[in-house]
Short mmCIF file of all heavy atoms in Angstrom, two decimals:
data_model
loop_
_atom_site.label_atom_id
_atom_site.label_comp_id
_atom_site.label_asym_id
_atom_site.label_seq_id
_atom_site.Cartn_x
_atom_site.Cartn_y
_atom_site.Cartn_z
N ARG A 364 8.68 17.72 -44.20
CA ARG A 364 8.94 16.49 -44.95
C ARG A 364 9.77 15.49 -44.13
O ARG A 364 10.09 14.42 -44.63
CB ARG A 364 9.70 16.81 -46.24
CG ARG A 364 9.03 17.82 -47.16
CD ARG A 364 7.75 17.29 -47.75
NE ARG A 364 7.96 16.07 -48.51
CZ ARG A 364 6.99 15.39 -49.11
NH1 ARG A 364 5.72 15.80 -49.03
NH2 ARG A 364 7.26 14.27 -49.78
N ARG A 365 10.10 15.82 -42.89
CA ARG A 365 10.98 14.95 -42.12
C ARG A 365 10.24 14.18 -41.02
O ARG A 365 10.73 13.18 -40.52
CB ARG A 365 12.11 15.77 -41.48
CG ARG A 365 12.90 16.55 -42.50
CD ARG A 365 14.04 17.31 -41.86
NE ARG A 365 15.07 16.40 -41.36
CZ ARG A 365 16.18 16.82 -40.74
NH1 ARG A 365 16.40 18.10 -40.55
NH2 ARG A 365 17.06 15.94 -40.32
N TRP A 366 9.06 14.63 -40.66
CA TRP A 366 8.33 14.10 -39.50
C TRP A 366 7.44 12.94 -39.92
O TRP A 366 6.65 13.05 -40.87
CB TRP A 366 7.50 15.21 -38.88
CG TRP A 366 7.02 14.98 -37.47
CD1 TRP A 366 7.71 15.18 -36.33
CD2 TRP A 366 5.73 14.52 -37.08
NE1 TRP A 366 6.94 14.89 -35.23
CE2 TRP A 366 5.70 14.47 -35.65
CE3 TRP A 366 4.57 14.12 -37.77
CZ2 TRP A 366 4.60 14.06 -34.93
CZ3 TRP A 366 3.48 13.72 -37.04
CH2 TRP A 366 3.49 13.68 -35.64
N GLY A 367 7.59 11.77 -39.25
CA GLY A 367 6.75 10.61 -39.54
C GLY A 367 6.24 10.00 -38.25
O GLY A 367 6.50 10.49 -37.15
N PHE A 368 5.51 8.90 -38.37
CA PHE A 368 4.93 8.29 -37.17
C PHE A 368 4.57 6.84 -37.42
O PHE A 368 4.49 6.38 -38.56
CB PHE A 368 3.68 9.05 -36.73
CG PHE A 368 2.49 8.85 -37.64
CD1 PHE A 368 1.58 7.82 -37.40
CD2 PHE A 368 2.29 9.65 -38.75
CE1 PHE A 368 0.50 7.60 -38.24
CE2 PHE A 368 1.21 9.44 -39.59
CZ PHE A 368 0.31 8.42 -39.35
N SER A 369 4.35 6.11 -36.33
CA SER A 369 3.70 4.80 -36.37
C SER A 369 2.66 4.76 -35.28
O SER A 369 2.78 5.45 -34.25
CB SER A 369 4.72 3.66 -36.17
OG SER A 369 5.29 3.73 -34.87
N SER A 370 1.61 3.97 -35.48
CA SER A 370 0.55 3.83 -34.48
C SER A 370 -0.07 2.45 -34.61
O SER A 370 0.09 1.78 -35.64
CB SER A 370 -0.52 4.91 -34.62
OG SER A 370 -1.21 4.77 -35.86
N GLU A 371 -0.74 2.03 -33.55
CA GLU A 371 -1.33 0.70 -33.52
C GLU A 371 -2.79 0.73 -33.10
O GLU A 371 -3.20 1.60 -32.33
CB GLU A 371 -0.58 -0.21 -32.52
CG GLU A 371 0.77 -0.69 -32.98
CD GLU A 371 1.85 0.36 -32.79
OE1 GLU A 371 1.69 1.23 -31.90
OE2 GLU A 371 2.84 0.32 -33.52
N ARG A 372 -3.50 -0.27 -33.58
CA ARG A 372 -4.80 -0.62 -33.04
C ARG A 372 -4.67 -2.03 -32.50
O ARG A 372 -4.32 -2.96 -33.24
CB ARG A 372 -5.90 -0.57 -34.10
CG ARG A 372 -7.27 -0.94 -33.55
CD ARG A 372 -8.32 -1.04 -34.65
NE ARG A 372 -9.62 -1.38 -34.10
CZ ARG A 372 -10.01 -2.61 -33.80
NH1 ARG A 372 -9.19 -3.62 -33.99
NH2 ARG A 372 -11.22 -2.83 -33.31
N LEU A 373 -4.91 -2.20 -31.19
CA LEU A 373 -4.73 -3.49 -30.54
C LEU A 373 -6.06 -4.01 -30.01
O LEU A 373 -6.83 -3.25 -29.41
CB LEU A 373 -3.73 -3.38 -29.39
CG LEU A 373 -2.33 -2.88 -29.75
CD1 LEU A 373 -1.50 -2.70 -28.47
CD2 LEU A 373 -1.62 -3.83 -30.70
N GLY A 374 -6.30 -5.28 -30.18
CA GLY A 374 -7.47 -5.94 -29.60
C GLY A 374 -7.00 -7.07 -28.70
O GLY A 374 -6.13 -7.86 -29.10
N ILE A 375 -7.55 -7.16 -27.48
CA ILE A 375 -7.03 -8.13 -26.53
C ILE A 375 -8.16 -8.72 -25.69
O ILE A 375 -9.08 -8.01 -25.28
CB ILE A 375 -5.98 -7.46 -25.61
CG1 ILE A 375 -5.36 -8.46 -24.64
CG2 ILE A 375 -6.57 -6.27 -24.87
CD1 ILE A 375 -4.18 -7.90 -23.87
N SER A 376 -8.10 -10.01 -25.45
CA SER A 376 -8.98 -10.69 -24.50
C SER A 376 -8.10 -11.13 -23.34
O SER A 376 -7.34 -12.09 -23.45
CB SER A 376 -9.67 -11.89 -25.16
OG SER A 376 -10.49 -12.58 -24.24
N PHE A 377 -8.15 -10.38 -22.22
CA PHE A 377 -7.14 -10.57 -21.18
C PHE A 377 -7.52 -11.57 -20.11
O PHE A 377 -6.64 -12.09 -19.42
CB PHE A 377 -6.78 -9.23 -20.53
CG PHE A 377 -7.96 -8.47 -19.97
CD1 PHE A 377 -8.42 -8.75 -18.70
CD2 PHE A 377 -8.59 -7.49 -20.70
CE1 PHE A 377 -9.51 -8.06 -18.18
CE2 PHE A 377 -9.67 -6.79 -20.19
CZ PHE A 377 -10.13 -7.08 -18.92
N HIS A 378 -8.81 -11.87 -19.91
CA HIS A 378 -9.17 -12.92 -18.97
C HIS A 378 -8.74 -14.27 -19.54
O HIS A 378 -8.65 -14.46 -20.74
CB HIS A 378 -10.67 -12.93 -18.71
CG HIS A 378 -11.15 -11.79 -17.85
ND1 HIS A 378 -10.70 -11.58 -16.57
CD2 HIS A 378 -12.04 -10.79 -18.10
CE1 HIS A 378 -11.29 -10.52 -16.04
NE2 HIS A 378 -12.09 -10.02 -16.95
N GLY A 379 -8.47 -15.21 -18.65
CA GLY A 379 -8.02 -16.52 -19.09
C GLY A 379 -6.75 -16.93 -18.37
O GLY A 379 -6.42 -16.39 -17.30
N ASN A 380 -6.00 -17.83 -18.96
CA ASN A 380 -4.87 -18.48 -18.28
C ASN A 380 -3.51 -18.02 -18.77
O ASN A 380 -2.50 -18.65 -18.42
CB ASN A 380 -4.96 -19.99 -18.46
CG ASN A 380 -6.20 -20.58 -17.83
OD1 ASN A 380 -7.01 -19.87 -17.24
ND2 ASN A 380 -6.36 -21.88 -17.94
N THR A 381 -3.44 -16.93 -19.54
CA THR A 381 -2.17 -16.57 -20.17
C THR A 381 -1.67 -15.19 -19.75
O THR A 381 -0.54 -15.05 -19.27
CB THR A 381 -2.29 -16.61 -21.70
OG1 THR A 381 -2.74 -17.91 -22.11
CG2 THR A 381 -0.97 -16.30 -22.37
N LEU A 382 -2.49 -14.17 -19.91
CA LEU A 382 -2.04 -12.79 -19.71
C LEU A 382 -2.18 -12.36 -18.25
O LEU A 382 -3.13 -12.74 -17.56
CB LEU A 382 -2.84 -11.83 -20.59
CG LEU A 382 -2.83 -12.13 -22.10
CD1 LEU A 382 -3.61 -11.07 -22.84
CD2 LEU A 382 -1.41 -12.21 -22.62
N THR A 383 -1.24 -11.56 -17.78
CA THR A 383 -1.30 -11.01 -16.43
C THR A 383 -2.38 -9.94 -16.39
O THR A 383 -2.35 -8.98 -17.16
CB THR A 383 0.06 -10.41 -16.04
OG1 THR A 383 1.08 -11.38 -16.24
CG2 THR A 383 0.05 -9.97 -14.58
#
Side-chain angles (χ1 to χ4, degrees):
R364 304 293 302 179
R365 304 182 68 180
W366 197 83
F368 71 91
S369 64
S370 65
E371 286 80 26
R372 180 186 180 278
L373 302 175
I375 183 171
S376 178
F377 55 85
H378 287 300
N380 297 0
T381 304
L382 304 183
T383 307

